[in-house]
Structures are given as C-alpha cells and as structure tokens.
Amino acid sequence: MHLLKCSLFIAILLNSAFHSLLVNSVQCRGTPASILLAQRWAKTECKASNLIDNPACKLEQWTLHGLWPDNVKVIDPVPLSEDFFNTFEDYKNIMMKEWTFLGIADQNTYITETTTFWKHEWTKHGYCAKDFIGSEDPKIYFQKALRLYRRANLFSFLDRNGFKPNDTATYKTYQIIDAFLAIKPYVRPIVNCRKVGNKYYLSEIIICLNQNLKPVNCGTGDINVCPEGAEFTYPRT
C-alpha cells in the first residue's frame, strides 16, 4: 500500500512538472492593444445549405464566437486537457445556446463538434488573453468570455435601438455604429456581413475592449466587413 501511494505521488509530480514545461514553452508574439469580443448571428451563418441540420440554426439570438487578443500569434500552445469539460458546469447547455458551433453538425455530432471548437478557441486565443483576464487558467478564460457576452446582451441592445430581425428590412453599417456611438462616444464596433447570392446579411459584430475590459474604438475591421454604403438584412429566418 505504501509503495502504491508513493508511485501515485511520483506520477502526480511528474504530470505537474510536464504540464509546467508545456506552459512555460508557450509564447505570445505581439503586443495587443485590445481584446475582441466577437458575436455571430446564427440565422446568417445558417444561410449555407449544408448547415441545415445544425441545432444552433434554430436559435434566434447572437452567439459568442470568441474572445480574441488583437494582433497576437501563439507559439506552441497548450491544448485543453481531456478532463476540462468535466469541471465546467453546465457546459453542454452553454454550447447549445450561447457559445455555439456554427459549422456542419447534426443533433448527434453537435456537442462533439462544439467541444472541438472550444478547444480551438483556447489554443488559438485563450492563453494569450491572460494579460486581459488576469489568468492562464482556461476555465477563467471561458467564464470571463461568457460574462462579457452576457453583459453585452447584443440582441437586446439592437432591439432597443430599432434593429429587429426581419427578412425584408435593410440597414447600413453606419446605422449600427451610430447606435453604439450614441451610448459612448468613440466606441466604434466592427460590423461584418456575409454575402449570399446577391444579398448581404448581417453576420457578426465585434466589440473591442481595453485592458480593463471596457469598450474602446475598434480598428478598420477584417475581410468580412460590410461594404461601405451597402445595404444588408438582419434576417429572421
């Protein structure tokens, strides 16, 4: 019995030491000025015909895409441990409603695919968010991202400002940006669209946050930014 206890203790020490070596090898290249809270509109993402069986396509809400340090590249990232999800309370329900996988999946594969998506978010973005969230712990990263997402309550914000899901009404980028600027001057989000056929659809809104996780002005956006002057739909179906 004594020998068994010693063996277990040594194994724990070795595992801890190995994990420390992995963590110490991680590098975050770049100096982020902000961290990006990205949210996607499921109805737009699901315009792709091969996503029709994805359960998230039934959602009429903004879902969390990720929390990303800006202009940072991670080198030798540490993957999530296999038992991480056993420690994250109610993660399956969160995956189905808030931080969803908007790719090819069905009722049987959805949780597995979303688990892989979460692992990707941690590997690519999570560890290097440590300067903003104050921790290298993946659980704290996911919890902090979810709190910021819930606090933003993007659906309610847009609704209060006259933007309601509608398959015929059209908007322009400046209208959404002006709604943000009216609440806090110089807080300009990134508004992204997806083109399907000849139409543009509102797909993503990114809010930039500073070191104190307060909204700040974003940069020029990414490759999916809505074309200047183009009209887009905020689809209900």
Side-chain angles (χ1 to χ4, degrees):
M1 179 64 72
H2 180 70
L3 181 60
L4 178 60
K5 288 182 178 179
C6 287
S7 298
L8 288 172
F9 180 69
I10 291 171
I12 291 170
L13 283 179
L14 288 173
N15 182 64
S16 177
F18 180 66
H19 182 265
S20 295
L21 286 172
L22 285 175
V23 170
N24 290 335
S25 71
V26 181
Q27 299 179 46
C28 299
R29 293 187 179 174
T31 305
S34 61
I35 192 166
L36 314 183
L37 180 69
Q39 299 178 61
R40 293 186 289 186
W41 181 242
K43 293 299 183 182
T44 292
E45 298 301 310
C46 294
K47 291 291 180 183
S49 59
N50 58 353
L51 302 188
I52 192 170
D53 294 324
N54 187 322
C57 290
K58 296 181 175 65
L59 296 173
E60 190 173 315
Q61 68 183 59
W62 289 87
T63 67
L64 184 55
H65 190 179
L67 185 65
W68 312 325
D70 194 19
N71 297 319
V72 172
K73 182 178 181 181
V74 60
I75 307 298
D76 295 328
V78 177
L80 284 178
S81 63
E82 290 303 316
D83 64 346
F84 168 77
F85 293 97
N86 294 327
T87 68
F88 203 91
E89 184 178 356
D90 202 27
Y91 78 91
K92 289 185 179 180
N93 190 47
I94 291 169
M95 286 179 173
M96 293 295 292
K97 295 181 179 179
E98 297 180 291
W99 202 335
T100 59
F101 172 70
L102 291 170
I104 299 174
D106 57 30
Q107 196 68 45
N108 297 320
T109 62
Y110 184 74
I111 292 299
T112 300
E113 294 293 345
T114 308
T115 298
T116 301
F117 170 52
W118 278 33
K119 288 179 178 178
H120 164 79
E121 289 301 302
W122 167 253
T123 301
K124 187 173 182 180
H125 306 288
Y127 179 83
C128 290
K130 59 184 179 177
D131 291 339
F132 292 88
I133 65 172
S135 176
E136 300 171 1
D137 185 339
K139 188 172 184 179
I140 292 177
Y141 166 74
F142 285 103
Q143 289 174 334
K144 179 69 74 173
L146 284 162
R147 280 198 294 270
L148 290 168
Y149 157 78
R150 292 163 182 165
R151 188 172 72 189
N153 198 354
L154 194 51
F155 185 93
S156 178
F157 170 80
L158 292 172
D159 185 75
R160 290 196 309 272
N161 285 277
F163 302 99
K164 302 178 186 295
N166 187 301
D167 292 324
T168 58
T170 59
Y171 305 99
K172 292 186 176 181
T173 302
Y174 79 87
Q175 293 173 290
I176 290 180
I177 291 175
D178 284 351
F180 278 87
L181 293 175
I183 290 182
K184 188 171 183 180
Y186 310 113
V187 173
R188 179 189 177 95
I190 297 170
V191 181
N192 289 334
C193 286
R194 181 177 294 277
K195 189 176 184 181
V196 181
N198 295 321
K199 293 184 177 181
Y200 288 99
Y201 296 89
L202 179 62
S203 64
E204 184 172 54
I205 292 179
I206 299 174
I207 301 171
C208 300
L209 309 170
N210 63 15
Q211 289 277 356
N212 297 318
L213 300 179
K214 301 297 183 184
V216 293
N217 186 34
C218 291
T220 57
D222 60 26
I223 59 172
N224 295 317
V225 68
C226 302
E228 186 175 356
E231 294 186 338
F232 56 80
T233 301
Y234 179 18
R236 188 178 63 85
T237 60

